[in-house]
Every structure is written in structure tokens, then in C-alpha cells.
Amino acid sequence: METFIRNMPKAELHIHIEGSLEPELMFALAHRNGVRLPFASIDEVRNAYHFTDLQSFLDIYYAGAAVLRQEQDFYDLTWAYLERARGDNVRHTEIFFDPQTHTERGVPFETVVTGVHRALQQGERTLGITSNLILCFLRHLSAEAAMATLEQALPFREWIVGVGLDSSERGHPPAKFTNVFDRARSEGFVTVAHAGEEGPPDYIWQALDLLKVSRIDHGVRCEEDAQLIERLRRQQVPLTVCPLSNVKLRVFEHMGAHNLKRLLNLGLCVTVNSDDPAYFGGYINDNFIAAHQALGLHRDHVIQLSRNAFRATFLDVSAQQQLLDELARYVGESPY
Ligand code: ADE
Ligand code: ZN
């Protein structure tokens, strides 16, 4: 099964590009840019990755992102992720970036988006990985700051498929960003939002009804609300679930307690993703394998997870179908 999982064609729909910054690259970029890190060594960085909740992670994640200064840094970061994704047989990826983490430090929006975009183009040409880019607003900052960020994005709208919402969830409900998301949709962007990771099921309702999202990022706390489960099932709203992240940030005590298999068995459109792979102990295949080992996923579960992800992409229907056909060929030819 593990070989079957590793070689299976897949799509990744929930990956923060800043969360793919491995300690080795963090140190190399700190050196290149003359940035002082609060860590003496790569081992010290890794040892600091013990989190108690989402906020304890975000504090370290934003500190690490301070080494990203120049367009080439964003290119190198994105390229390193794409090479890992290729190794995991990712055929299509939809990447989040957090421009406010950088513009707040004086790095121009254009520097960030150009570096990421250039790497994504190169990834399509030389690795055969197609991609979409999603701009996330930091929900701990104001709605006005999010609106200003959206306006900065408009000249680059050809490179950005949609907008999302991330950072500290508790106390920052989706409703805070209703106007920003209205404007984003009127400008032609699709919408997604982190909801029901640490926050209550009500935040998932708000994301659906106020922000009109096409997918929910995480969404695992939907399990507390039977009516919400029914809505997500009926409308086949994709949930971009991140198993290793949820265990590292103590949403679940251990992988055996994760509800991914239960949600899948209820008929929800669950997908598997890595979130912040450099911080949470692995990329997409590591997430599939950890969930498989702890929960006893069957071959049909694993195939369904990949099928769900291809259907949940923001690709057009014919591009989705090509990927689904590739998956069907893989399943048909696989000896497992
Ligand atoms: N930013 C990066 N990873 C995140 C997560 N898991 N939840 C909220 N914001 C994030
Ligand atoms: Zn996330």
C-alpha cells in the first residue's frame, strides 16, 4: 500500500509556500540576505518545532519567513517545494501565499508574487506540474488591511486564481471579511477559507454563507454539527484536510484519533494535504502514509482521496478529466 500511495498521481490543495521553508534553506537565505536568526544551528531550529496550538506555531512560522527578502528567495522557496512535490507524484498543486507577512516588513507585493509565479511556470515546463496560486489574507490583521492587499493584487490577477483566509482562527470569524470577499468575487477570484481547524463549526457556516467559499481548508470540526455535515455532504464541499498538521497543533491528540476516515466514510469530499510541511514533519506522501498507518485506510479510501482532490481543483473540467483518467490508468495497471 505504501508504494501504491507514493506512486499514485495526486493533487495538493492546501500548502502554504512559506510553510515549506526547510531549516537548511532558512539558514542559506539568512546568510545571503544578512538576516540574523534567533537560532544558532539547523538542529536548534528543528528542536524549536514543538507546538502547543496554532498560535505557538504561527509565532515561529512568521519569524522564519523574515529571511525571505528578494524575488530570487521566493523563487528558490517555491522551486524547492515543487521538486519535493514532483518526488511525491503531485501532478497539480494550488499554493497559498501570505503577502502581508512580507509587505508588513517592507518587501513589495510584486517581489513576492513574481518570484513565486516564475517558479510555478518553470515547474510546469520542466517538472510537468500544473498549478494555481491563492492569495491568503491574514485574519489577525484588519479587514481594511486585507482590502488594501486585494487592491495590490489586481495588477497580477492573471497569476492568481483565488483568495483565502489564514492565520489565527479563534476570535477572527469569517464574517470580519465579508466585504473583502464580496469585492474579491466581483473581481473574478474564487474563494476559500481556513475554518473549523481550531474554530467552531459556526465559522464553517460563515465561510460558506458569507464568504461563498468553494472549499473549506481543514474543516475537521464540522463533525460537531450534524446539520453542517449534511450540508457539506450534499453539496460535496471539498475539505482540504492536513493530518500531520492537526496532530502537531494538537487539534487531535494522536493520528489514531483523527477523523479523516470517519468523514470520508460519511461521504464528504475529503482531501489530504501537507499545510506547512517543513514544520509538521512531512510532505503530502508522508501525510497519506501517516493517516493510512494510523487509521487503516483501504486502497479504495486512498484512491477516493486523490479523486476528490482532482475534482476539487480550480482547473477546468477537461484538465480535471485528464488527471482523473491518469489516476484511473494508474489504478488499473497497479499490481496492488
Ligand atoms: N498559516 C499557515 N498554516 C496555517 C494553518 N494551519 N492555519 C492557519 N493559518 C496558517
Ligand atoms: Zn493552512
Side-chain angles (χ1 to χ4, degrees):
M1 263 290 272
E2 289 191 17
T3 308
F4 179 79
I5 288 171
R6 285 185 198 287
N7 293 335
M8 178 175 69
K10 46 186 82 72
E12 177 147 60
L13 305 177
H14 185 160
I15 156 83
H16 302 263
I17 201 62
E18 295 89 349
S20 72
L21 178 59
E22 292 286 344
E24 289 77 6
L25 184 58
M26 192 189 291
F27 266 77
L29 295 181
H31 183 70
R32 187 156 99 189
N33 292 326
V35 175
R36 278 185 68 86
L37 282 173
F39 307 104
S41 68
I42 288 168
D43 278 349
E44 205 176 289
V45 180
R46 285 221 162 80
N47 286 334
Y49 292 175
H50 294 289
F51 311 117
T52 50
D53 59 7
L54 176 57
Q55 193 60 50
S56 68
F57 154 70
L58 290 170
D59 293 342
I60 288 193
Y61 163 83
Y62 294 131
V67 302
L68 298 161
R69 290 275 173 95
Q70 311 183 54
E71 187 190 313
Q72 189 64 36
D73 304 338
F74 292 92
Y75 179 94
D76 291 346
L77 173 71
T78 308
W79 184 253
Y81 162 70
L82 288 168
E83 287 194 313
R84 299 265 197 163
R86 179 62 266 180
D88 280 2
N89 282 299
V90 171
R91 302 285 295 106
H92 176 76
T93 183
E94 304 200 335
I95 292 182
F96 296 137
F97 73 119
D98 285 347
Q100 289 160 292
T101 300
H102 315 298
T103 54
E104 286 226 312
R105 299 181 287 113
V107 178
F109 186 99
E110 179 178 7
T111 300
V112 181
V113 75
T114 306
V116 174
H117 176 72
R118 209 157 48 78
L120 294 180
Q121 279 191 310
Q122 184 69 11
E124 184 159 351
R125 275 197 300 269
T126 65
L127 302 174
I129 301 180
T130 54
S131 54
N132 279 318
L133 191 52
I134 299 173
L135 182 168
C136 279
F137 303 114
L138 299 183
R139 70 202 304 160
H140 68 274
L141 300 179
S142 68
E144 291 71 29
M147 191 69 93
T149 303
L150 177 60
E151 279 167 6
Q152 289 180 307
L154 295 179
F156 305 96
R157 67 209 306 159
E158 295 305 312
W159 296 354
I160 301 170
V161 73
V163 301
L165 191 60
D166 66 2
S167 190
S168 323
E169 187 181 7
R170 286 198 185 111
H172 300 286
K176 177 175 163 186
F177 296 94
T178 303
N179 289 341
V180 182
F181 274 61
D182 280 348
R183 171 83 191 278
R185 288 196 318 284
S186 77
E187 297 284 355
F189 295 103
V190 297
T191 61
V192 299
H194 284 53
E197 177 187 18
E198 282 191 344
D202 180 50
Y203 285 16
I204 302 177
W205 286 106
Q206 289 183 26
L208 294 169
D209 291 333
L210 303 179
L211 308 187
K212 317 259 192 250
V213 297
S214 306
R215 305 193 293 243
I216 296 285
D217 297 312
H218 294 293
V220 289
R221 285 195 59 192
C222 70
E223 209 179 17
E224 299 164 31
D225 181 336
Q227 272 186 306
L228 178 57
I229 290 266
E230 184 48 27
R231 163 100 180 257
L232 295 169
R233 192 195 60 73
R234 204 177 56 244
Q235 297 189 344
Q236 286 294 292
V237 178
L239 303 183
T240 64
V241 174
C242 307
L244 286 171
S245 164
N246 292 154
V247 173
K248 274 281 188 178
L249 301 187
R250 315 241 184 121
V251 173
F252 296 97
E253 272 189 23
H254 56 90
M255 194 59 82
H258 202 289
N259 63 6
L260 177 141
K261 187 176 175 182
R262 288 199 298 277
L263 297 178
L264 199 55
N265 284 338
L266 286 169
L268 271 64
C269 184
V270 177
T271 66
V272 167
N273 308 271
S274 69
D275 206 5
D276 301 283
Y279 293 88
F280 298 149
Y283 288 75
I284 191 169
N285 279 354
D286 301 306
N287 275 273
F288 265 98
I289 287 165
H292 160 62
Q293 286 176 344
L295 302 172
L297 298 182
H298 303 305
R299 188 176 182 274
D300 286 351
H301 287 122
V302 167
I303 297 164
Q304 188 65 40
L305 287 163
S306 186
R307 200 180 286 136
N308 288 347
F310 287 142
R311 288 197 180 122
T313 64
F314 294 125
L315 290 168
D316 64 35
V317 173
S318 76
Q320 286 187 4
Q321 194 56 52
Q322 279 189 27
L323 291 168
L324 289 163
D325 291 347
E326 190 181 329
L327 177 62
R329 276 196 302 280
Y330 174 74
V331 168
E333 288 163 8
S334 164
Y336 301 98

